[in-house]
Amino acid sequence: MKYSHKLSDAVHIMAYIEICKGQILSSSEIAKSINSNPSLVRRLMMYLTRDGLLITQKGIAQPILARDSDEISLFDIYSAITDEHNLLHVDDKTNPDCLVGGNIQSVLESEYSKVQNAAESEMKKISLKGIIDGILVRQGASVGK
């Protein structure tokens, strides 16, 4: 199974931009923090800008959040960077002549919808500010060790 890190990378970008605001925040600098490449950062920032979460200016490496971090939810970021908004996917190539294969898709779609709704509801409760505060608290804890 292939996992996508787009959401965690996009949250990382948003947190980095807020924590390091006022500094030069080129895609290369941000990519170093993610341990990725600048083109991934630029692509994710394009989605975040398109959905009104970031403000960027061509030629100026100082992106800023478009709203206060407590007004941006994990769901907002997820919606901005995800084309396919389903966390779980049903295998559509089951055997329709089999008792299980012929019926499991519709049953799982119903159950997966419940999971999706619950996940989205929880994501809406998590603010970018809460994530940033968690980062700063952990940083403070690690400095004291």
Side-chain angles (χ1 to χ4, degrees):
M1 176 182 287
K2 185 178 180 198
Y3 297 101
S4 172
H5 299 116
K6 283 187 347 182
L7 178 58
S8 67
D9 289 347
V11 173
H12 189 135
I13 290 167
M14 297 286 284
Y16 189 90
I17 288 169
E18 181 65 7
I19 290 169
C20 300
K21 65 183 164 194
Q23 299 177 30
I24 300 300
L25 300 173
S26 67
S27 56
S28 295
E29 270 315 298
I30 298 169
K32 287 178 192 173
S33 179
I34 297 174
N35 201 22
S36 187
N37 63 63
S39 64
L40 169 76
V41 171
R42 284 190 295 274
R43 185 170 48 253
L44 290 173
M45 287 177 66
M46 178 189 69
Y47 297 140
L48 295 165
T49 301
R50 176 196 67 197
D51 273 33
L53 300 178
L54 276 183
I55 298 171
T56 60
Q57 291 181 315
K58 190 173 179 107
I60 300 174
Q62 288 190 315
I64 58 171
L65 301 184
R67 303 191 305 249
D68 288 338
S69 61
D70 61 346
E71 296 175 5
I72 299 172
S73 72
L74 186 59
F75 181 77
D76 293 330
I77 299 169
Y78 168 74
S79 295
I81 56 99
T82 308
D83 293 329
E84 174 57 53
H85 290 259
N86 291 321
L87 297 171
L88 305 172
H89 304 277
V90 175
D91 182 356
D92 62 351
K93 295 181 177 86
T94 57
N95 181 351
D97 297 326
C98 170
L99 170 66
V100 176
N103 296 290
I104 196 165
Q105 292 169 344
S106 61
V107 173
L108 283 179
E109 284 173 0
S110 173
E111 298 304 322
Y112 285 3
S113 178
K114 293 175 192 173
V115 172
Q116 183 75 31
N117 292 336
E120 288 180 5
S121 176
E122 289 302 309
M123 291 170 81
K124 289 175 183 175
K125 296 176 188 175
I126 300 169
S127 72
L128 179 60
K129 181 175 182 357
I131 292 168
I132 291 169
D133 289 348
I135 292 167
L136 297 175
V137 165
R138 288 185 59 85
Q139 174 60 28
S142 67
V143 170
K145 290 184 178 181

